[in-house]
Amino acid sequence: MQTETTAVGSGTVATDETDRLIASDKVEGTAVYNRMGERLGTVHNVMIDKYTGQVAYAVMSFGGFLGMGESYHPLPWSVLTYDTRQGGYVIDLDRSRLEGAPSYTTSNMPNWSDQSYRRRIDEYYGVPSSGTI
Amino acid sequence: MQTETTAVGSGTVATDETDRLIASDKVEGTAVYNRMGERLGTVHNVMIDKYTGQVAYAVMSFGGFLGMGESYHPLPWSVLTYDTRQGGYVIDLDRSRLEGAPSYTTSNMPNWSDQSYRRRIDEYYGVPSSGTI
């Protein structure tokens, strides 16, 4: 994340955000936009490496209707930039590129243990593959 | 975390846990025990370094009554070990040592930007201080 937000959670415990740290339950539910200001989705959660404590991916939910049919797009943490004006994360991705990105639904969930799947994600977004076993 | 859980969230999106990765919203709400099997608290959330995506601390809530008066204990991620028998994290901390650990309530929240505060936590739990600016 490149820029910080000046917003502080109202009364949220553990100082949900500072210039350096942000609480996971504040990240969850944050809007995601592209550079044209289009709302792309919402951060559903982040996937954390159990051994290193490193966030591997933020999972963005996208589409769907009345809670059904949503797609989930794993995004490398490094592609998220917080934009105070937008009040959410901005990613450098137009809608068509988003539609072609690695994604899944509840009926075809990914195998996170599959290194080639993780590499696909990293390559799609042009980030170095994070070191994994 | 040293061991993995074999539990898989029932229908939780994004495969909430694999042998390597765990979803943040699955970590939140996980019980924390000590080695004597005493329930110490619950993981409230994790604090993530915005720039590196590294989890700095898991914040454990402890005590309180009817949602009031809870204490929050920041724990270095590396001191959490998942124990499948207990169905939660185990930390190597007896109750008295927990009571003396760095903690806060909603009325005296910490300054996470304060490097000395973060060092206090790391020293208390005997972990190397994570690199910070």
Side-chain angles (χ1 to χ4, degrees), chain A residues 1 3-10 15-22 26 82-88, chain B residues 50-51:
Chain A
M1 210 170 313
T3 56
E4 66 181 73
T5 180
T6 51
V8 176
S10 49
T15 312
D16 66 351
E17 182 163 12
T18 68
D19 63 331
R20 186 86 198 189
L21 303 182
I22 186 167
K26 181 170 180 180
Y82 194 87
D83 184 321
T84 52
R85 284 176 306 121
Q86 299 254 45
Chain B
K50 290 192 274 188
Y51 302 101

Side-chain angles (χ1 to χ4, degrees), chain B residues 29-33 38-43 60-63 95 98:
Chain B
T30 298
V32 183
Y33 302 91
E38 295 177 299
R39 175 77 180 258
L40 298 178
T42 308
V43 178
M60 180 181 75
S61 63
F62 162 67
R95 221 174 242 293
L98 176 68

Side-chain angles (χ1 to χ4, degrees), chain A residues 51-73:
Chain A
Y51 302 102
T52 64
Q54 179 70 41
V55 169
Y57 303 100
V59 178
M60 178 181 75
S61 63
F62 163 66
F65 183 67
L66 298 180
M68 297 189 303
E70 285 188 302
S71 293
Y72 296 90
H73 286 69

Side-chain angles (χ1 to χ4, degrees), chain A residues 19-111:
Chain A
D19 63 331
R20 186 86 198 189
L21 303 182
I22 186 167
S24 51
D25 53 345
K26 181 170 180 180
V27 174
E28 292 154 9
T30 298
V32 183
Y33 302 90
N34 64 16
R35 297 205 181 283
M36 275 73 75
E38 295 177 298
R39 173 77 179 259
L40 298 178
T42 307
V43 177
H44 176 73
N45 60 17
V46 299
M47 296 302 293
I48 302 169
D49 185 306
K50 290 192 272 187
Y51 302 102
T52 64
Q54 179 70 41
V55 169
Y57 303 100
V59 178
M60 178 181 75
S61 63
F62 163 66
F65 183 67
L66 298 180
M68 297 189 303
E70 285 188 302
S71 293
Y72 296 90
H73 286 69
L75 305 172
W77 179 257
S78 58
V79 312
L80 298 174
T81 303
Y82 194 87
D83 184 321
T84 52
R85 284 176 306 121
Q86 299 254 45
Y89 294 119
V90 172
I91 60 177
D92 209 350
L93 201 72
D94 62 39
R95 218 173 245 292
S96 61
R97 189 143 178 79
L98 177 68
E99 282 159 14
S103 68
Y104 51 87
T105 64
T106 50
S107 48
N108 68 333
M109 295 196 287
N111 179 3

Side-chain angles (χ1 to χ4, degrees), chain A residues 1 14 17-22 24-25 28 45-46 48-55 77 104 112-113 133, chain B residues 1 14 17-20 22 24-25 28 45-46 48-55 77 104 112-113 133:
Chain A
M1 210 170 313
E17 182 163 12
T18 68
D19 63 331
R20 186 86 198 189
L21 303 182
I22 186 167
S24 51
D25 53 345
E28 292 154 9
N45 60 17
V46 299
I48 302 169
D49 185 306
K50 290 192 272 187
Y51 302 102
T52 64
Q54 179 70 41
V55 169
W77 179 257
Y104 51 87
W112 284 112
S113 301
I133 47 171
Chain B
M1 210 170 312
E17 183 163 11
T18 68
D19 62 333
R20 187 84 197 193
I22 185 168
S24 52
D25 53 346
E28 292 154 10
N45 61 16
V46 300
I48 302 168
D49 184 308
K50 290 192 274 188
Y51 302 101
T52 65
Q54 178 70 38
V55 170
W77 179 257
Y104 51 88
W112 284 110
S113 301
I133 48 169

